[in-house]
């Protein structure tokens, strides 16, 4: 979870993610984790700037061959 998604935006200072969207996201992540657990896997969830969190995870894991991600589409 990137804390920048929960602060005011440059568009009128409204939060990018309000309480209803946050609840939906948390419930979705919880459901995904439970589904993966039933299949013998897990879900790593972290809070922080992705550029820092991904770096820290790679450092912790040691041997990482590939990292894939997507960038948020932004309106102009």
């Amino acid at each position: 979870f990137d804390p920048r998604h929960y602060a005011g935006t440059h568009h009128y200072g409204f939060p990018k993610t309000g309480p209803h969207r946050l609840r939906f996201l948390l419930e979705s992540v919880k459901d995904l984790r439970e589904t993966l657990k039933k299949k013998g896997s897990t879900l790593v969830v972290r809070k922080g700037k992705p550029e820092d969190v991904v770096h820290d995870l790679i450092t912790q894991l040691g041997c990482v061959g590939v990292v894939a991600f997507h960038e948020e589409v932004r309106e102009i």
Side-chain angles (χ1 to χ4, degrees):
F1 289 94
D2 186 340
R4 295 173 289 198
H5 286 249
Y6 308 97
T9 67
H10 60 280
H11 298 292
Y12 310 108
F14 290 109
K16 185 171 186 172
T17 303
H20 300 292
R21 183 173 184 195
L22 177 59
R23 174 178 247 181
F24 172 78
L25 289 172
L26 292 174
E27 289 173 355
S28 298
V29 168
K30 181 180 177 184
D31 183 64
L32 177 59
R33 177 180 269 158
E34 290 171 0
T35 300
L36 290 170
K37 191 174 184 177
K38 289 177 186 174
K39 297 182 181 289
S41 190
T42 190
L43 178 66
V44 175
V45 179
R46 296 288 186 267
K47 176 184 168 191
K49 294 180 180 177
E51 56 271 24
D52 298 331
V53 172
V54 171
H55 177 268
D56 293 345
L57 282 173
I58 291 170
T59 301
Q60 280 181 335
L61 295 172
C63 182
V64 175
V66 175
V67 176
F69 65 96
H70 76 279
E71 184 175 354
E72 179 181 7
V73 177
R74 299 174 188 243
E75 294 182 34
I76 297 177

